[in-house]
Amino acid sequence: MTQNKIGFSKLTKEEKIDWIAQTYFANPTQAKNILLQYWNQNTDIQKLHDEFIENTITNFYLPLGVAPNFTINGKNYTIPFAIEESSVVAAASKAAKFWGSRGGFKTTILGTEKIGQVHFLYEGDKAKLTEYFQFVKPFLLSETEGITKNMQKRGGGISDIVLVDKTAELENYYQLHATFQTKDSMGANFINSCLEQFAKTLKDKSEDFGITSIQIVMSILSNFVPNCVVRAEVSCPVSELNEDKNIIAEEFAQKFVTAVKIAEVEPYRAVTHNKGIMNGIDAVVLATGNDFRAIEAGVHAYASKDGKYTSLSHAKIENGIFSFWLDVPLALGTVGGLTNLHPLVKFSLEMLGNPSATELMEIIAVAGLAQNFAALRSLTTSGIQQGHMKMHLNNILNQHQATKEEKQQVIAHFESKTVSHNLVVDYLESLRKK
Ligand code: MEV
């Protein structure tokens, strides 16, 4: 073990796989075969994948599904979802169809501002630092011109830089808090490059100004983007919610609104409610090559921005009209990053009509709202398990290596019965005993 700790990254891919298989697996050949079956025979794609990260030993596949029939601001879309959870794509498709015949989804961009901060310590007089900041601010902008030139040509750049006194929360702690517009790029590299230059300029010029105690701690963008927000909404007369003959529209609308209000006041419910929204959001974020960890972090921070974790979506009935909407922060890119590199990301973006970053914000927010609508509709009517377990049935059958014939028999048997893991396994075993 000890000698293998040295230089793993220097081994060839085959040597890495060998070492992993020999070191950790009872059956190294089987372990290697598991890895190899996900290896792409197309050497160009494999080379590309190998270069995305370090120490690649194979590929980790997720299904890419599509939900057609989305009408967003009058335009039709087929939305790509990269996700392993059954029911998500089916739910999205159902919600798309439902709202497609009720005016479709509408969206509004509420802001596109990105944020980054230089965190530093300063031990002197605050008035002197404030004076220094006024002096250095033009240099912060001029010394980043090399970085901002191209972004400015595209209509983006640095919007503002302010000095923030955080000493009440942490001794000697100040920030340069900067805001940016990054147009169609997510902007992480652009923002971080600007911030690192700000930090350098802030430090370099300080001694000329008689300040010697600035200590730069770090410079990094923030994934909390409360001013980079999109609203997605649907509405229709309550009477038009009457799609299913078993559902009384008024009762359904009331119950639905109550379910949303519960998520607004009860954090335990809000987390699961928002998780359902993220089922839609993450899947499209992933399919379009965006950073789902950044989105997740930002969304949940936004959900608790007023001091208590709450629902991202809201609903009301007013003058006989049911409205349901979602405000969600989404810092996305449709150029740069993986967008030009990953063939499936390129495919997904082209299928969406090569949207701008703001259009992608709109599409992704709609995917989240659609998912939330579908989940709440199930939860407040039939319950979630009926649909979930039907979709999950196939996974259970695959887990137990059911043959095609067995699958047909089991699916037919559970057509009108409640599905549970045990019941399926019991029935499968009874078939096998016959
Ligand atoms: C499951 O992935 C998502 C739900 O739990 C969401 C919700 O409860 O609203 C069904």
Side-chain angles (χ1 to χ4, degrees):
M1 277 296 261
T2 320
Q3 78 223 65
N4 282 318
K5 269 190 182 165
I6 306 159
F8 179 77
S9 66
K10 300 212 168 50
L11 301 179
T12 65
K13 186 168 167 180
E14 287 72 16
E15 287 167 344
K16 283 174 188 157
I17 291 174
D18 267 342
W19 183 81
I20 297 275
Q22 299 295 340
T23 311
Y24 294 109
F25 292 86
N27 185 339
T29 309
Q30 189 185 52
K32 274 167 74 171
N33 286 339
I34 289 171
L35 295 180
L36 288 176
Q37 69 187 332
Y38 289 100
W39 225 340
N40 203 308
Q41 296 314 314
N42 178 331
T43 48
D44 288 346
I45 288 184
Q46 191 52 52
K47 190 161 178 292
L48 205 61
H49 279 198
D50 288 352
E51 286 171 7
F52 286 155
I53 62 164
E54 309 75 34
N55 293 344
T56 321
I57 54 168
T58 191
N59 305 292
F60 194 99
Y61 289 5
L62 281 181
L64 179 70
V66 295
N69 297 318
F70 270 95
T71 308
I72 306 174
N73 303 327
K75 190 169 162 188
N76 286 331
Y77 294 90
T78 293
I79 303 186
F81 288 73
I83 189 159
E84 86 300 345
E85 184 173 333
S86 48
S87 313
V88 169
V89 176
S93 304
K94 243 174 120 176
K97 226 167 153 194
F98 183 91
W99 285 107
S101 56
R102 288 163 181 79
F105 293 84
K106 306 213 166 41
T107 62
T108 318
I109 298 291
L110 303 178
T112 55
E113 180 188 272
K114 314 272 171 69
I115 292 167
Q117 298 168 321
V118 177
H119 306 271
F120 65 98
L121 300 179
Y122 164 74
E123 276 182 41
D125 173 31
K126 184 185 164 188
K128 175 117 181 139
L129 182 67
T130 310
E131 204 189 320
Y132 171 56
F133 175 68
Q134 293 312 328
F135 161 80
V136 82
K137 193 171 172 181
F139 292 102
L140 297 176
L141 296 172
S142 63
E143 294 192 1
T144 42
E145 267 166 13
I147 307 167
T148 55
K149 208 166 67 200
N150 279 341
M151 187 59 86
Q152 274 170 352
K153 274 193 207 143
R154 291 195 268 137
I158 301 161
S159 309
D160 200 7
I161 313 169
V162 292
L163 173 70
V164 184
D165 178 354
K166 302 289 282 185
T167 54
E169 287 155 77
L170 185 67
E171 203 180 1
N172 303 330
Y173 170 34
Y174 291 85
Q175 296 169 349
L176 293 183
H177 181 97
T179 45
F180 302 86
Q181 291 293 338
T182 61
K183 301 308 281 182
D184 287 334
S185 66
M186 193 261 190
N189 282 332
F190 167 72
I191 294 173
N192 288 333
S193 299
C194 287
L195 294 171
E196 288 187 3
Q197 181 57 52
F198 292 164
K200 189 168 180 307
T201 306
L202 182 76
K203 178 78 184 156
D204 287 353
K205 300 252 176 256
S206 63
E207 284 179 21
D208 300 348
F209 207 81
I211 289 180
T212 52
S213 70
I214 286 182
Q215 187 195 338
I216 305 293
V217 180
M218 59 189 164
S219 310
I220 187 75
L221 66 73
S222 173
N223 292 123
F224 182 39
V225 282
N227 297 320
C228 184
V229 175
V230 54
R231 173 168 297 171
E233 55 196 308
V234 285
S235 67
C236 72
V238 169
S239 56
E240 286 184 19
L241 292 171
N242 204 356
E243 183 201 44
D244 182 332
K245 59 183 178 331
N246 298 317
I247 296 174
I248 300 162
E250 287 71 20
E251 263 177 36
F252 167 68
Q254 286 295 350
K255 216 169 159 189
F256 191 101
V257 170
T258 306
V260 176
K261 293 212 175 308
I262 290 171
E264 284 171 351
V265 301
E266 165 55 55
Y268 281 97
R269 173 56 202 150
V271 171
T272 316
H273 178 97
N274 290 346
K275 187 274 182 187
I277 294 172
M278 298 315 287
N279 276 345
I281 291 184
D282 280 338
V284 191
V285 165
L286 210 54
T288 56
N290 278 282
D291 180 345
F292 65 92
R293 287 86 54 210
I295 298 295
E296 280 281 341
V299 164
H300 297 295
Y302 187 79
S304 45
K305 70 181 187 331
D306 298 323
K308 182 179 170 188
Y309 191 91
T310 186
S311 169
L312 293 161
S313 64
H314 308 280
K316 66 176 182 193
I317 302 167
E318 234 170 53
N319 305 322
I321 303 290
F322 167 84
S323 316
F324 179 45
W325 71 100
L326 165 76
D327 287 352
V328 70
L330 292 171
L332 300 169
T334 52
V335 297
L338 271 197
T339 54
N340 299 325
L341 284 178
H342 196 296
L344 284 175
V345 169
K346 274 171 102 171
F347 172 91
S348 297
L349 287 170
E350 189 168 345
M351 191 173 73
L352 291 173
N354 288 323
S356 62
T358 48
E359 192 179 353
L360 188 61
M361 283 169 79
E362 296 172 318
I363 296 166
I364 291 182
V366 163
L369 188 70
Q371 208 53 234
N372 195 207
F373 178 77
L376 290 177
R377 187 163 66 163
S378 297
L379 287 168
T380 56
T381 56
S382 60
I384 205 78
Q385 281 312 89
Q386 190 182 309
H388 255 216
M389 290 311 287
K390 282 256 146 62
M391 296 295 292
H392 192 51
L393 181 56
N394 214 31
N395 291 345
I396 304 173
L397 290 169
N398 285 336
Q399 256 174 39
H400 291 271
Q401 283 90 36
T403 62
K404 201 170 155 203
E405 290 69 33
E406 284 172 339
K407 279 185 183 174
Q408 280 168 350
Q409 281 173 285
V410 177
I411 289 168
H413 177 80
F414 281 96
E415 187 60 44
S416 55
K417 293 190 178 58
T418 307
V419 176
S420 84
H421 193 103
N422 283 350
L423 288 175
V424 172
V425 175
D426 287 351
Y427 186 68
L428 190 61
E429 278 172 5
S430 75
L431 286 180
R432 286 174 177 173
K433 274 188 198 134
K434 271 184 198 165

